[in-house]
Amino acid sequence: MTNVLLDVKAISKNFGGVQAVSLVDFDVRKGEIVALIGPNGAGKSTVLNMISGVVPPTQGEIYFEERLMANVPGSQYAGLGITRTFQNLQTFDDMTVLENVMVGCHSRTQSGLLACGLKLGQARREEVDMHHRALQWLEIVGLSSVANTLAGNLPYGMLRLMEIARAMVSEPKLLLLDEPAAGLNHTETADMTNMLKRIRANGTAILLVEHDMDMVMNAADRIVVLDQGEKIAEGTPAQIQESPEVIAAYLGTEEVMQTRGESVG
Ligand code: ADP
Ligand code: MG
């Protein structure tokens, strides 16, 4: 058995003449955090969108546990073990925190969302199960005390944690995160970094798109660097910090790297 969970082979994406991603290759192995970094517009979100089945690659293949993902419908990703969060928050303000988190379970259960409402047989057991898992994850991310609060009343930092809990209730093998530290302050970012390490320790691999270099250098086992759609470097945090290609790509963009809450893509 290979320990490669996700294998990205020479993927490209062209948006009507804009070459957003060109022949990008990398893998994510079981139990590791891989960070995908690069200046704004480098193609990071597009790579994440291709891996999560949101947009098809123009070229190249993506394998998850050796399965070619090209013809797998998006609705089946969570069931296979891939979940994600988005660069911009996706929350239901008029639902409670618990309800928001339980939304993440539906794609995983056999009988699906409709049957869950019927509270019968298999569906009833699944609902009890998902309720239990949702409460567990709220506890892990530190939101138990606000489980019954409307999400719209929560501060931004807590909503970011709520999204992590939602992505984790389906017990994914691979968690895809698009800028989880965007908009967070220093303390919240440190807490989020510790959360990602706990998730890794729990056996879920993470592909992390992030601008916050403290989080990236602190949490990532390996880093893949994109610039203008191409992979320009790959290595450990120490190797990446010393890479001349990476330094050149980021030269003069120190502020851009540190900016949180970027709204591109
Ligand atoms: P990053 O996440 O690294 O900031 P993106 O993947 O969002 O970069 O964008 C990479 C490039 O692709 C940018 O030039 C962006 O304008 C372009 N792009 C992204 N999504 C689309 C789209 N849906 N249609 C057209 N161009 C897009
Ligand atoms: Mg992006």
Side-chain angles (χ1 to χ4, degrees):
M1 266 305 275
T2 165
N3 69 344
V4 172
L5 198 55
L6 177 76
D7 201 359
V8 173
K9 289 182 181 291
I11 55 169
S12 299
K13 184 69 193 180
N14 190 298
F15 289 110
V18 176
Q19 195 65 37
V21 174
S22 302
L23 300 171
V24 168
D25 269 304
F26 67 92
D27 61 24
V28 178
R29 298 163 207 159
K30 285 174 190 157
E32 69 174 353
I33 298 178
V34 174
L36 189 59
I37 69 169
N40 281 334
K44 306 179 297 294
S45 291
T46 303
V47 167
L48 223 57
N49 288 342
M50 289 192 276
I51 293 170
S52 58
V54 175
V55 297
T58 313
Q59 217 187 302
E61 283 103 40
I62 296 164
Y63 293 87
F64 181 69
E65 295 192 305
E66 299 183 321
R67 175 201 299 259
L68 179 63
M69 296 300 282
N71 295 311
V72 176
S75 59
Q76 287 180 21
Y77 275 59
L80 292 175
I82 303 178
T83 59
R84 69 167 296 172
T85 65
F86 288 84
Q87 188 166 338
N88 301 310
L89 269 179
Q90 312 245 323
T91 58
F92 301 101
D93 284 353
D94 51 358
M95 283 166 58
T96 67
V97 169
L98 178 61
E99 286 165 348
N100 265 276
V101 171
M102 285 178 67
V103 167
C105 300
H106 289 125
S107 45
R108 184 181 188 248
T109 57
Q110 294 266 313
S111 36
L113 180 56
L114 242 188
C116 279
L118 300 174
K119 300 187 191 300
L120 291 168
Q122 172 81 3
R124 177 72 192 132
R125 275 193 301 281
E126 284 176 355
E127 197 192 71
V128 170
D129 209 44
M130 75 166 69
H131 188 253
H132 181 71
R133 278 202 309 272
L135 286 174
Q136 262 181 344
W137 274 101
L138 282 176
E139 167 111 48
I140 294 170
V141 303
L143 295 180
S144 294
S145 64
V146 292
N148 297 313
T149 303
L150 292 183
N153 295 334
L154 248 56
Y156 185 81
M158 284 191 177
L159 292 175
R160 281 279 172 195
L161 287 167
M162 184 184 82
E163 280 200 315
I164 302 283
R166 174 160 63 201
M168 289 305 297
V169 280
S170 64
E171 298 171 338
K173 294 168 183 166
L174 176 65
L175 175 62
L176 308 170
L177 300 175
D178 200 351
E179 303 199 18
L184 299 186
N185 66 32
H186 190 73
T187 310
E188 290 168 333
T189 301
D191 289 346
M192 180 67 82
T193 304
N194 288 331
M195 186 57 54
L196 302 191
K197 291 179 180 177
R198 282 182 73 176
I199 288 169
R200 172 178 59 191
N202 204 46
T204 295
I206 299 175
L207 178 60
L208 168 70
V209 168
E210 185 49 61
H211 276 282
D212 188 284
M213 286 302 124
D214 288 341
M215 174 178 271
V216 168
M217 294 300 165
N218 194 341
D221 299 295
R222 287 190 298 130
I223 299 174
V224 172
V225 188
L226 296 185
D227 186 30
Q228 298 180 41
E230 292 180 22
K231 183 172 94 173
I232 59 164
E234 177 174 346
T236 62
Q239 288 166 339
I240 292 303
Q241 275 171 316
E242 286 170 7
S243 157
E245 289 86 358
V246 177
I247 293 165
Y250 274 111
L251 212 61
T253 66
E254 182 81 8
E255 274 111 17
V256 175
M257 277 178 79
Q258 297 302 334
T259 300
R260 293 168 186 169
E262 165 236 15
S263 62
V264 176

